[in-house]
């Protein structure tokens, strides 16, 4: 009988021993290799940032002027290289960019893209009209209505039947308050489409606004004319009365007649239709260091009538009830001569102003009220005053 040579099957224990031996030899081999860092890939701490720059993985387009990755530069060169593309192809590339920006509401970038597209010498008028119209739309969405109108008009020059551009031009004219142009454009839209509801509504609205604007302008012009006439009438009455002013140019410079005190600043002296002057007036109370104001004091009133009206109700500061028309004296100051003059209460305001020593300053009449015989009156009259030096 021939002896057959056959391998004895490995036991599970032998298999484990062999696996352990192979693992050990692999570890020895790996450890014996030269150790060096892998430099060709993305850094571990910035791999997400680098991936975002890859054209396949980026989620937003690069901004103009932003540094591009080498791969993006290569792709861009293929798309925008003038040596690799015709003028028409380059214009189309930027046009598509503009469309993408418009869809993503990046309107300023869309303006830039369409502007780049228009730089190429594309001779087809209709194609250029589309570029102008698209840029007009981008301008419109960022409220550059003037630029949007100019582009829409350019589109219409290249393509006179471009209704989309015509409608946008009408909308821009509306926003720019160019009423006549807007109505003209709406009429052109309605000529092509008589039932266009938007054009009909816009035309109606613009005509109403134009009418309102013209009315307001007429009112403003009338008010301006009345103001000029009133000032001339006031100056004439002041001259007739011989009213004297500290400011030498008070009757030629309206600003000189404007009161500076806040409660009176909107109430310049005026002559009414009957020629009666109404004065902004301040009454000072030295005892209380306070003031009272009359915004339109009629010159036809006597000082006594003014006091009776002022003291018809007790003053809040007059706790002792000392101030009444028959218990007070009224004074005015001549700042040029540094003197004080007592007012005759029976005199009208217009007659007080005729006195040689009365001068108006800052368009305002100023009077001082004190209780007769009071220490405050004596103190006021005893004050040292310095004559005012007027500018010549």
């Amino acid at each position: 009988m021939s002896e057959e040579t056959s391998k004895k099957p490995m036991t599970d224990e032998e298999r484990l021993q062999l696996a352990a031996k192979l693992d050990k030899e692999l570890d020895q081999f790996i450890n014996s290799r030269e150790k060096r860092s892998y430099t060709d890939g993305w850094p571990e701490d910035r791999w997400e940032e680098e991936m975002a720059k890859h054209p396949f993985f980026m989620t937003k387009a690069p901004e103009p002027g932003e540094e591009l990755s080498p791969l993006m530069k290569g792709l861009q060169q293929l798309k925008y290289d003038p040596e690799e593309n015709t003028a028409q192809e380059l214009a189309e590339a930027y046009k598509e960019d503009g469309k993408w920006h418009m869809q993503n509401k990046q309107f300023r970038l869309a303006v830039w893209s369409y502007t780049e597209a228009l730089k190429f010498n594309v001779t087809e008028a209709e194609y250029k009209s589309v570029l102008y119209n698209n840029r007009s739309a981008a301008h419109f969405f960022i409220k550059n209505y003037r630029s949007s109108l100019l582009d829409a008009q350019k589109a219409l020059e290249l393509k006179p039947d471009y209704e989309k551009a015509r409608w946008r031009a009408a909308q821009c004219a509306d926003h720019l308050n160019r009423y006549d142009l807007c109505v003209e454009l709406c009429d052109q839209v309605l000529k092509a489409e008589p039932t266009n509801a938007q054009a009909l509504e816009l035309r109606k609205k613009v005509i109403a606004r134009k009418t309102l604007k013209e009315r307001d302008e007429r009112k403003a012009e009338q008010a301006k004319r009345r103001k000029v006439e009133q000032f001339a009438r006031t100056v004439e009455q002041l001259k007739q009365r011989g009213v004297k002013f500290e400011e030498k140019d008070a009757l030629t410079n309206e600003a000189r007649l404007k009161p500076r005190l806040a409660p009176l600043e909107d109430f310049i002296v005026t002559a009414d239709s009957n020629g009666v002057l109404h004065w902004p007036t301040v009454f000072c109370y030295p005892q209380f260091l306070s003031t009272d104001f009359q915004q339109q004091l009629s010159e036809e009133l006597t000082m006594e009538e003014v006091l009776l009206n002022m003291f018809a109700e007790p003053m809040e500061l007059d706790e002792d009830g000392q101030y009444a028309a028959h218990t007070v004296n009224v004074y005015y100051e001549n700042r040029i001569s540094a003197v004080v003059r007592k007012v005759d209460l029976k005199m009208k305001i217009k007659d007080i102003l005729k006195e040689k020593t009365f001068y108006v300053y800052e368009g305002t009449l100023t009077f001082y009220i004190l209780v007769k015989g009071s220490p405050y009156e004596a103190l006021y009259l005893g004050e040292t005053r310095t004559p005012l030096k007027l500018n010549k």
Side-chain angles (χ1 to χ4, degrees):
M1 178 175 159
S2 62
E3 187 177 338
E4 293 184 4
T5 58
S6 60
K7 269 191 173 183
K8 186 177 182 181
M10 294 180 66
T11 65
D12 291 340
E13 183 179 354
E14 289 173 333
R15 286 193 186 90
L16 291 173
Q17 291 176 353
L18 179 59
K21 179 182 178 185
L22 292 173
D23 285 342
K24 182 178 179 181
E25 290 176 352
L26 179 60
D27 289 340
Q28 290 175 347
F29 173 76
I30 291 173
N31 291 333
S32 68
R33 302 291 294 172
E34 180 182 357
K35 291 182 173 60
R36 58 181 179 179
S37 300
Y38 179 63
T39 58
D40 295 334
W42 293 331
E44 291 185 8
D45 58 338
R46 290 189 296 109
W47 69 270
E48 289 182 330
E49 177 185 345
E50 294 296 332
M51 178 177 284
K53 295 178 182 179
H54 195 286
F56 293 164
F57 303 110
M58 62 172 47
T59 57
K60 68 172 185 174
E63 299 288 340
E66 182 180 341
E67 185 177 357
L68 303 177
S69 67
L71 184 55
M72 179 59 76
K73 287 180 180 178
L75 292 174
Q76 190 177 59
Q77 188 172 7
L78 288 174
K79 184 175 181 180
Y80 302 108
D81 191 344
E83 296 183 1
E84 299 290 337
N85 301 276
T86 65
Q88 180 69 47
E89 289 171 338
L90 290 169
E92 184 64 23
Y94 283 107
K95 178 174 174 287
E96 288 301 314
D97 288 349
K99 180 180 178 181
W100 189 89
H101 290 309
M102 289 289 287
Q103 291 172 343
N104 288 274
K105 298 183 179 181
Q106 298 173 342
F107 302 118
R108 295 186 188 279
L109 289 176
V111 169
W112 179 84
S113 296
Y114 291 128
T115 300
E116 291 298 308
L118 284 164
K119 290 179 181 179
F120 298 99
N121 187 25
V122 178
T123 57
E124 186 184 350
E126 185 168 350
Y127 186 84
K128 290 180 71 174
S129 72
V130 172
L131 293 178
Y132 277 112
N133 179 65
N134 290 353
R135 190 171 70 175
S136 172
H139 276 303
F140 187 87
F141 282 115
I142 53 178
K143 299 183 179 181
N144 289 342
Y145 300 123
R146 195 174 304 279
S147 296
S148 181
L149 175 60
L150 291 173
D151 277 350
Q153 290 175 319
K154 187 65 178 177
L156 284 168
E157 287 178 18
L158 294 166
K159 186 182 178 184
D161 62 345
Y162 206 159
E163 295 306 319
K164 185 181 291 186
R166 197 185 319 280
W167 174 240
R168 183 169 295 107
Q171 291 177 298
C172 291
D174 172 34
H175 283 289
L176 294 169
N177 295 328
R178 295 182 61 177
Y179 306 119
D180 292 338
L181 176 60
C182 185
V183 170
E184 178 185 345
L185 289 164
C186 285
D187 287 342
Q188 292 173 6
V189 171
L190 292 168
K191 185 177 180 180
E193 189 182 351
T195 59
N196 188 310
Q198 288 181 308
L200 287 168
E201 179 62 26
L202 180 60
R203 188 181 189 280
K204 179 181 176 181
K205 181 182 74 172
V206 167
I207 290 176
R209 282 171 50 207
K210 180 185 178 183
T211 302
L212 184 62
K213 179 175 180 289
E214 290 173 345
R215 187 200 67 182
D216 290 344
E217 287 175 347
R218 286 194 300 271
K219 284 185 175 180
E221 187 60 33
Q222 291 170 359
K224 182 179 179 182
R225 187 166 57 250
R226 285 196 298 269
K227 184 179 179 181
V228 171
E229 292 171 353
Q230 186 179 62
F231 180 69
R233 184 169 61 247
T234 299
V235 169
E236 181 62 28
Q237 293 298 325
L238 291 169
K239 287 180 178 179
Q240 287 182 16
R241 288 160 177 70
V243 177
K244 298 174 289 298
F245 294 87
E246 288 185 2
E247 303 88 354
K248 299 300 181 184
D249 60 345
L251 297 182
T252 57
N253 183 355
E254 187 176 0
R256 292 291 195 180
L257 293 178
K258 183 179 175 66
R260 296 187 182 181
L261 296 171
L264 302 176
E265 60 184 0
D266 294 328
F267 297 90
I268 190 172
V269 58
T270 56
D272 63 24
S273 58
N274 296 318
V276 177
L277 291 173
H278 298 266
W279 286 93
T281 308
V282 57
F283 293 92
C284 303
Y285 300 91
Q287 178 178 347
F288 304 119
L289 299 177
S290 67
T291 54
D292 194 6
F293 300 97
Q294 296 281 331
Q295 294 170 332
Q296 293 178 307
L297 182 66
S298 171
E299 66 175 358
E300 292 295 334
L301 294 173
T302 65
M303 183 58 74
E304 186 176 42
E305 289 173 328
V306 174
L307 294 176
L308 286 169
N309 181 61
M310 289 174 59
F311 299 136
E313 295 183 7
M315 290 175 59
E316 185 177 346
L317 295 173
D318 182 21
E319 296 179 354
D320 298 329
Q322 295 179 303
Y323 283 77
H326 65 282
T327 63
V328 299
N329 283 325
V330 179
Y331 299 89
Y332 67 82
E333 295 182 358
N334 181 314
R335 304 198 306 168
I336 299 172
S337 302
V339 296
V340 177
R341 291 285 183 267
K342 186 165 74 170
V343 174
D344 181 349
L345 302 187
K346 299 296 183 181
M347 291 179 66
K348 290 185 176 183
I349 300 299
K350 66 179 181 182
D351 295 323
I352 296 171
L353 269 63
K354 290 179 182 178
E355 293 187 354
K356 292 182 179 180
T357 51
F358 197 100
Y359 279 79
V360 179
Y361 60 94
E362 295 181 355
T364 306
L365 307 185
T366 303
F367 297 100
Y368 298 84
I369 302 177
L370 297 114
V371 175
K372 296 176 182 179
S374 69
Y376 295 101
E377 183 182 42
L379 184 63
Y380 170 74
L381 295 174
E383 287 180 3
T384 301
R385 294 173 175 82
T386 303
L388 178 68
K389 293 182 179 180
L390 298 178
N391 295 325
K392 295 183 179 180

